[in-house]
Amino acid sequence: MSKVIQTKTEFEGRFHEELIVVEGEGLSPWPEGITLAYVGQRVPRLDGAERVSGRAVYTADVQLPGMLWGKFLRSPYPHARIKKIDVQKAEKIPGVWLVLTYENIPKIPFYGGQTFLLDKTIRFAGEEVACVIADNEERAEDAREEISVEYEPLPFVLQPEEALNPGAPQIHPAGNLVRGGPDVYERGNIDRGFTGAEVMVEEVFKTSTALHNAMETHGSVALWEGDQLVIWDSTQHIFGVRAQAAQLLDISLNKVRVIKQYMGGGFGSKNSMGRYTLLAALGAKMTGRPVKILLDRHEENLAAGNRPASVQYLKIGARRDGTLTAIHLRAYTAAGAYILIPPAVGGPVRQLYSCPHVKTEQYAVFTNTGPLSAFRGPGYVEGTFALESAMDELAQKLSMDPLDLRLRNYTEINQITGQPYSTKGLREAYERGAREMGWAQRSKEEKGSKRKGFGMASQIWGGSGGPPAYAWVKINPDGSAVVLSGTQDLGTGTKTVLAQIAAEELGIPMDKISVQIGDTQINPYAPISAGSMTLPSVGPAVRTAAYDAKRQLLDIAAQVLQVPGEGLEIQNGSLQSPKLQQPVLLKDMLANLRNFMIVGRGARSPNPEGVHVNTFGAQFVELEVDVETGEVNIIKFIAVHDSGRVINPLTISSQIEGGVIQGLGFGLIERRVVDRKTGVVLNANLEDYRMPTIQDAPEIISQMVDRPDLRANNLGSKGVGEPPIIPTAAAVANAIADSLKVRIRELPITREKVLKALVNRNL
C-alpha cells in the first residue's frame, strides 16, 4: 500500500521538507550488538579487479562507431562581450563537421538562468565561447585555433569583498550579491551574549580556492537513436542529468537515457549536468553521429568548479569557566561567475556547540572567476577551520585544555531545531582519539630546529539520507540474485555495500549477488550521490527489496517443499526448517518452477520525526614544524568518526583516509592562483597546482564509533563520504599554532607563511 507523507531531509547543511510516496511497511533495524554474516565485514570491492586492471569502462573510455569529438574554444578574458565571431576558416578544415556558437544553437538558459548555454557575454577566463565538432580530437583542436573572435573587454573583479564595493564591475544585471542579500541565521541576541562574555576572541580567517582534480575529468558521449537521446556521462546523479537534459531540450523523460557504469571521482563537482553534456547532445543531433566531449586537465581547472575562497570574520564570547555566550560569523565566499547552491559556511557555528546567542551572515558574491561547485563537505570545511581555530584561541586565553573547552560546550540537542540527536558519538570519538594520541601525556620536546605540536578539531555534518530512493531485487532460477537501483558508485564502494546488505537480508552468499546500477532506463530512481546520502538513502531501499523478495521466496518454497512457513529460513543459499530432514539448495527448489522470477521491491522510508540525524567526528594530529625551513611533517594522525552502523570497515577506512589526505592538501599546499591583472588562472595543471601525493600522506589511524543509529533507517547507518575532510585542516592549523606559539589564520599554511609568522612573532 502506498502513502503520501511529508518528510524532512538535510542536504549539505540545508533542510528541506518534501512530499514523498512510501510503499509498504518499514523494516526494523538489525539490533545493536548482533553479529551479522556479511554486514560489518571487510569485503573487498566487487569491481576492484575491473578498476585496477583497466577493464572497467569509464565515460572517458566510451568509443562508438563513427564517433566525433568536440573541443571548446575558451575566452582569454575574465569579462568581455563578443562583438563578432567568424568560424568560416575552421569549418573549411577537412574533418570538421560544424562549429557551435551562440549564433547557431538555441538560447538555452544555463546555471539557473544566469547565462545561456553559449552566450555573448563572458564572465570568467576560460568560459566556453565555441565548440568544434570534428572527426577526431586533434582535428578539433586544430580547427578551434582558426576561429576568429573580436572581444570587447569589460572591467572585472576577482575578490568577493571588492565585488561588493560601490562602483565595482557588475557581473550580473541584478548585482554581484547572490540572491540579492546575505543568508542570515540568528537565535537569541548576540549583543546580550557578548555583554555577558568575560573573554572574547575576534579574528579574521581566510581560505583559498581549491580545485577538485578528480582522476577522471568531466565529459559526456551523446548518441541519438531515432528520437531517443542516450548519454554516457561522468556524473554523480544520472537521474538529475536525465531531468536537466529533457527539460532544456524540451523532450520527454522517456526519450532520455543516461548511463554511468564507472566513474573516476567527482567530489561534488559532477553533481549537475555540464555544458559539455548538452553541447554533445546538440552536436550529435545536428551531425547524426555520436559526439564525445571530454575536458582536458587544463580545462578541468578552469571551468569544472571549485571550493570557493572565503573570508570569515568570527567573534566568540565566553565566561571564565569556558561556557560560550555568543558567536557571530560574517562570511564572504567567492561564488565565481555562476552558482547553483551557496556553501553553508555558517553550518558549524550554528550547530556544533551549545551556545544561546548565535548569528551567522553568509555573503555569496559573484566574481569574474570560474564557477563555484560543491566540494566534499562544502562550506563546512571552511567554516570548521575558522570555528575550531577560534576555539583553540579561546582555550588559550582561558588557560584551558582545548578538549576540555569543547566538552564544556557539548550538547545532545541540535541547536537549530531544538530536537535531540538520534545518536551522537562525538564524546566517545573525543575519548578514543585522545586516548590513541596520548593527549593527556603529550609533550613538546624540541629536536634541533624542529618544534612539536598537537592539535585537534571536531566535525558535524548531515549524512542522514532520505527518500525517495528505490531498489529491486531479482531472484534468478539458479538461486542467485541481482540488485538494481539507479544510484552511482563514484569509486566509494557503493556496489559492494549494497551487495552486502542484500546478501545479509536474503541469506545468499556474496558471490551469488550482482549489482546493476547507473542506468536510468533500466534502474528505479535513486538520488544524487552527494551530501553523504548514498548509503543511508539507497541502502535501506535495497534491504527492503531483499526482504520483499525473500518473503515471496519463502512463501513459494513452503508450498513446493510442503512444509509450514513458520521456521522456514534461508542460510548460505539453502532453505532450512525443523520440518526438513536436510537443507535444500535454493537452486534445487527453484528448478521445479522453470524460469519463474521473483522480483522484490523496496523504497526508502521517511526520516524519523522528533529527532535530528547527524554525523560526528574528531581528529587529532601530532606534527613537527622545522623553524628553519617552514616544513610541516605529520607524525601521527588519528581520525575517529561516528556514522552509525559500519557496513564495510574496508571501504569506510578508505573513505576516511582519502578525506584526510584531501584535507591535508587543503590545509597545507593547495591553492588556485589567479593573476590579478589579467584574471587568468596561472596554475591550471597538475604540475603547478600542488596536490598531496603518496609522499605527503602520513600514517592515518582511522576508527569508527560503530554504534547503530536505530532511529535513522532500517540499517542504522549514516553517510561517511564527507565527514573525514571537514575537521582536518582545522586540526592541523591548531597543531601548527601549538608548535610555533603563533597562529596562522589563512589557508593553505605554506612554508612561506610559517617563516613569515615566525619573523613577525619575533619582531
Side-chain angles (χ1 to χ4, degrees):
M1 181 178 177
S2 297
K3 294 183 293 184
V4 178
I5 65 168
Q6 191 168 26
T7 189
K8 180 181 289 187
T9 60
E10 181 180 357
F11 179 72
E12 297 185 346
R14 289 177 168 80
F15 303 94
H16 306 274
E17 287 192 357
E18 54 189 345
L19 290 176
I20 57 113
V21 178
V22 178
E23 299 180 36
E25 299 298 325
L27 294 177
S28 298
W30 294 301
E32 184 174 357
I34 188 174
T35 300
L36 301 171
Y38 303 105
V39 166
Q41 307 305 313
R42 295 175 63 87
V43 177
R45 296 171 194 249
L46 297 184
D47 54 4
E50 286 75 15
R51 289 180 180 272
V52 300
S53 66
R55 296 195 301 271
V57 177
Y58 295 78
T59 300
D61 298 322
V62 172
Q63 298 289 336
L64 300 177
M67 188 176 73
L68 306 177
W69 274 83
K71 296 297 290 186
F72 287 114
L73 174 70
R74 296 182 178 275
S75 170
Y77 297 102
H79 200 191
R81 187 175 294 111
I82 299 174
K83 297 176 67 177
K84 183 180 179 182
I85 184 166
D86 187 346
V87 301
Q88 292 185 31
K89 284 186 178 180
E91 290 178 330
K92 290 178 181 178
I93 293 177
V96 173
W97 285 66
L98 76 157
V99 180
L100 303 175
T101 72
Y102 72 90
E103 294 180 333
N104 63 359
I105 66 170
K107 293 190 70 172
I108 299 174
F110 215 70
Y111 285 112
Q114 294 164 15
T115 185
F116 293 103
L117 182 58
L118 292 176
D119 201 344
K120 289 183 66 172
T121 302
I122 300 300
R123 296 181 177 88
F124 69 94
E127 185 164 9
E128 297 85 346
V129 172
C131 183
V132 178
I133 308 295
D135 282 343
N136 55 55
E137 188 174 12
E138 294 76 15
R139 192 64 53 85
E141 289 174 344
D142 291 341
R144 86 182 156 189
E145 302 302 320
E146 299 300 323
I147 300 173
S148 175
V149 185
E150 183 181 347
Y151 296 96
E152 177 192 350
L154 301 173
F156 62 90
V157 61
L158 305 175
Q159 302 299 324
E161 289 182 285
E162 293 177 10
L164 294 181
N165 289 337
Q170 292 296 291
I171 300 168
H172 293 283
N176 293 343
L177 191 56
V178 176
R179 298 178 180 173
D183 178 356
V184 179
Y185 166 84
E186 187 168 10
R187 67 172 178 265
N189 184 300
I190 59 167
D191 291 334
R192 187 185 311 151
F194 285 121
T195 299
E198 297 170 299
V199 179
M200 284 190 284
V201 169
E202 187 171 8
E203 298 292 351
V204 182
F205 298 90
K206 298 180 179 180
T207 63
S208 292
T209 301
L211 304 174
H212 300 75
N213 277 306
M215 291 186 70
E216 182 188 23
T217 62
H218 291 59
S220 297
V221 178
L223 166 69
W224 288 87
E225 295 179 331
D227 63 350
Q228 176 170 292
L229 172 62
V230 184
I231 300 172
W232 288 261
D233 201 74
S234 184
T235 178
Q236 296 176 227
H237 193 196
I238 57 172
F239 279 94
V241 171
R242 183 184 76 153
Q244 288 175 284
Q247 178 190 2
L248 295 177
L249 294 174
D250 194 24
I251 54 180
S252 59
L253 290 172
N254 68 305
K255 300 296 184 181
V256 183
R257 179 184 184 187
V258 180
I259 302 169
K260 186 214 68 68
Q261 294 301 321
Y262 291 91
M263 180 175 172
F267 311 124
S269 68
K270 299 175 182 176
N271 282 359
S272 60
M273 184 179 67
R275 281 171 157 162
Y276 49 86
T277 306
L278 217 54
L279 286 163
L282 289 174
K285 187 72 169 179
M286 296 167 72
T287 62
R289 302 275 289 272
V291 172
K292 181 177 190 175
I293 301 179
L294 186 69
L295 303 192
D296 61 29
R297 187 60 61 181
H298 180 74
E299 293 176 298
E300 190 83 355
N301 284 337
L302 294 178
N306 59 73
R307 185 190 299 281
S310 73
V311 180
Q312 302 176 60
Y313 297 84
L314 183 61
K315 183 178 180 180
I316 298 181
R319 294 199 290 267
R320 285 287 176 191
D321 65 356
T323 302
L324 296 176
T325 61
I327 310 176
H328 182 206
L329 172 69
R330 190 173 81 254
Y332 298 87
T333 57
Y338 310 109
I339 186 173
L340 294 176
I341 303 176
V345 180
V349 165
R350 295 193 295 262
Q351 293 180 280
L352 189 50
Y353 297 112
S354 175
C355 185
H357 307 287
V358 172
K359 184 176 182 179
T360 63
E361 303 167 78
Q362 301 176 135
Y363 295 82
V365 187
F366 288 116
T367 54
N368 290 118
T369 55
L372 173 156
S373 66
F375 191 162
R376 205 171 188 176
Y380 277 60
V381 174
E382 304 95 296
T384 297
F385 162 65
L387 175 62
E388 289 294 82
S389 296
M391 287 292 285
D392 263 38
E393 293 197 56
L394 180 61
Q396 184 179 13
K397 283 193 173 185
L398 293 168
S399 299
M400 286 184 71
D401 185 284
L403 180 54
D404 290 341
L405 176 62
R406 287 163 172 83
L407 289 170
R408 166 73 66 177
N409 296 283
Y410 194 88
T411 176
E412 294 288 351
I413 303 297
N414 183 281
Q415 296 293 289
I416 296 176
T417 65
Q419 296 176 337
Y421 291 111
S422 52
T423 60
K424 183 176 182 180
L426 182 56
R427 187 182 298 275
E428 184 174 344
Y430 283 149
E431 293 170 353
R432 288 168 59 174
R435 184 169 57 248
E436 188 75 34
M437 180 57 71
W439 185 259
Q441 298 81 34
R442 61 193 188 280
S443 61
K444 303 173 188 174
E445 71 273 12
E446 298 182 1
K447 297 179 181 178
S449 62
K450 296 181 179 179
R451 305 289 182 267
K452 185 174 289 189
F454 294 83
M456 58 86 58
S458 317
Q459 169 261 315
I460 187 171
W461 181 247
S464 62
Y470 303 95
W472 301 328
V473 171
K474 299 191 297 187
I475 306 294
N476 295 313
D478 65 353
S480 63
V482 181
V483 177
L484 297 101
S485 183
T487 187
Q488 305 80 201
D489 192 334
L490 313 186
T492 58
T494 296
K495 291 173 73 172
T496 306
V497 297
L498 296 184
Q500 288 178 261
I501 293 165
E504 189 69 50
E505 188 61 41
L506 290 170
I508 294 176
M510 281 283 295
D511 62 357
K512 299 295 185 183
I513 304 285
S514 297
V515 179
Q516 174 63 55
I517 62 175
D519 191 328
T520 60
Q521 205 76 333
I522 62 175
N523 296 144
Y525 176 85
I528 188 172
S529 291
S532 307
M533 289 183 60
T534 305
L535 173 62
S537 298
V538 182
V542 168
R543 186 185 171 209
T544 304
Y547 173 82
D548 184 35
K550 180 177 68 175
R551 180 185 55 78
Q552 296 178 53
L553 181 60
L554 290 174
D555 182 57
I556 292 169
Q559 298 176 58
V560 171
L561 300 176
Q562 298 182 348
V563 296
E566 296 79 11
L568 186 62
E569 59 182 10
I570 307 169
Q571 290 186 10
N572 201 30
S574 296
L575 292 156
Q576 301 183 17
S577 169
K579 301 297 183 179
L580 291 172
Q581 293 184 352
Q582 60 184 14
V584 176
L585 293 175
L586 278 178
K587 66 177 183 179
D588 292 341
M589 187 277 294
L590 290 169
N592 296 301
L593 303 176
R594 296 185 178 271
N595 285 315
F596 176 75
M597 177 175 284
I598 294 171
V599 179
R601 292 164 53 91
R604 171 58 150 83
S605 295
N607 285 331
E609 296 182 0
V611 294
H612 215 274
V613 181
N614 277 86
T615 61
F616 302 91
Q619 295 183 355
F620 294 77
V621 60
E622 175 186 355
L623 53 74
E624 287 181 338
V625 182
D626 192 318
V627 296
E628 292 183 355
T629 67
E631 181 180 6
V632 176
N633 178 44
I634 308 295
I635 299 172
K636 190 175 185 180
F637 201 101
I638 312 295
V640 186
H641 287 269
D642 165 34
S643 287
R645 171 177 272 121
V646 173
I647 303 296
N648 189 333
L650 188 62
T651 56
I652 272 197
S653 65
S654 69
Q655 283 291 289
I656 293 177
E657 290 162 11
V660 168
I661 292 169
Q662 277 189 316
L664 292 175
F666 180 66
L668 295 173
I669 58 176
E670 292 188 46
R671 58 176 175 174
R672 184 191 67 183
V673 179
V674 179
D675 188 327
R676 290 184 64 88
K677 293 183 178 180
T678 65
V680 172
V681 178
L682 299 178
N683 59 339
N685 56 66
L686 290 184
E687 181 177 3
D688 299 315
Y689 183 86
R690 287 200 58 208
M691 293 175 61
T693 66
I694 191 64
Q695 186 176 357
D696 303 301
E699 179 186 8
I700 300 166
I701 300 172
S702 64
Q703 296 183 13
M704 297 300 295
V705 173
D706 199 5
R707 179 188 306 154
D709 188 334
L710 301 181
R711 300 192 68 176
N713 53 63
N714 66 33
L715 302 178
S717 298
K718 297 178 276 193
V720 77
E722 281 142 306
I725 193 178
I726 291 172
T728 306
V732 170
N734 286 336
I736 292 173
D738 182 54
S739 166
L740 302 179
K741 306 307 177 191
V742 61
R743 181 166 294 276
I744 300 169
R745 300 183 182 89
E746 182 177 358
L747 299 182
I749 302 177
T750 60
R751 294 186 183 192
E752 293 84 357
K753 289 176 185 172
V754 169
L755 296 176
K756 184 177 180 180
L758 288 170
V759 169
N760 292 338
R761 183 192 68 178
N762 296 326
L763 289 178

